[in-house]
Amino acid sequence: MAFAVRLPSRYSQDSNLDHSEHTMSIPSRLCLALAGAILSFSAIAAADEPYTLVQGKHGAISTYGSGSDNEELDRLKRTSIGPFLWFRDHGKSYVIEDRALLARADAAWKPVQALGQEMSALGKQMGEQGRQMGKLGREMGEQGRQDRAGEAAMTAKARQMDQAAKPMDSLGKRMGELGERQGRASKEAERATRVLIDEALRTGQAKPVQAG
């Protein structure tokens, strides 16, 4: 049985419009709400599905999601003659090989790659600084096991340790800043990649992956 929801009387008095224009049954409203929920869930599911941007036969530039099919990707690397973007949409695998779209994807991820390289170089500096501090710590431990004649040397080592810790603090702060920037750049690259994936699906430039 359908129950009608009517608008307040001020909308119906002296009106020539059909009352059906002002009413909608509860089942109809529920159907519309359910359809909207299904569409929203579908969009969320698609946004969470994986993709991998591959440069030739030498591995991935960027991978999103945990459902990437490594076996399928390895097969595509062997059979493709150039770079490609592999992705899943509602469980179905596709590949994009259009050079213009791939150039856009590559451009979207370049800032992330550059920041990653900078973080890697900074990490090496932090590693070297950490090794120096470790060496000083071992020397201080050795001095601590000696008699009081080693107190002056112990004090000197402590000063060296304090000096060595200062660059580490600066490097750590710099690493944190780079990490925040990379996080923002990754979100923007992710958004841009999803946009071009949607475009490729609409225009037919995304080709279904044939089973191997």
Side-chain angles (χ1 to χ4, degrees), residues 2-180:
F3 296 89
V5 178
R6 294 186 178 278
L7 296 175
S9 58
R10 65 177 180 274
Y11 290 106
S12 57
Q13 291 177 352
D14 301 324
S15 174
N16 294 323
L17 296 176
D18 193 320
H19 282 250
S20 63
E21 296 182 11
H22 298 294
T23 62
M24 180 179 289
S25 67
I26 289 177
S28 297
R29 292 176 181 270
L30 290 175
C31 287
L32 287 174
L34 180 59
I38 291 173
L39 288 173
S40 297
F41 178 80
S42 176
I44 292 171
D48 286 339
E49 289 186 292
Y51 65 76
T52 300
L53 178 61
V54 176
Q55 278 287 6
K57 303 179 185 296
H58 301 292
I61 290 180
S62 56
T63 298
Y64 176 89
S66 59
S68 295
D69 189 328
N70 292 330
E71 184 177 339
E72 189 169 74
L73 285 169
D74 288 341
R75 178 171 60 83
L76 288 171
K77 287 178 186 179
R78 290 193 302 269
T79 58
S80 297
I81 60 174
F84 62 88
L85 174 61
W86 171 93
F87 68 94
R88 278 210 185 103
D89 182 69
H90 297 92
K92 188 174 181 179
S93 296
Y94 293 84
V95 64
I96 299 172
E97 295 180 293
D98 179 79
R99 293 303 176 93
L101 289 177
L102 292 176
R104 285 166 52 188
D106 186 51
W109 284 97
K110 276 194 180 302
V112 181
Q113 295 169 359
L115 287 167
Q117 291 171 357
E118 193 171 349
M119 292 174 72
S120 178
L122 197 60
K124 291 179 180 178
Q125 293 182 47
M126 293 179 72
E128 179 59 32
Q129 199 70 25
R131 282 189 289 274
Q132 292 180 23
M133 293 177 69
K135 180 182 178 183
L136 286 170
R138 289 190 297 272
E139 291 175 354
M140 289 177 69
E142 183 62 27
Q143 291 289 342
R145 287 189 290 271
Q146 296 178 7
D147 57 22
R148 293 179 61 85
E151 286 185 3
M154 187 73 165
T155 302
K157 293 293 182 187
R159 292 197 187 97
Q160 291 180 46
M161 180 67 83
D162 289 341
Q163 291 299 314
K166 291 179 181 179
M168 185 65 85
D169 291 341
S170 177
L171 291 170
K173 182 179 179 181
R174 177 62 177 159
M175 182 68 84
E177 293 171 350
L178 288 174
E180 291 179 0

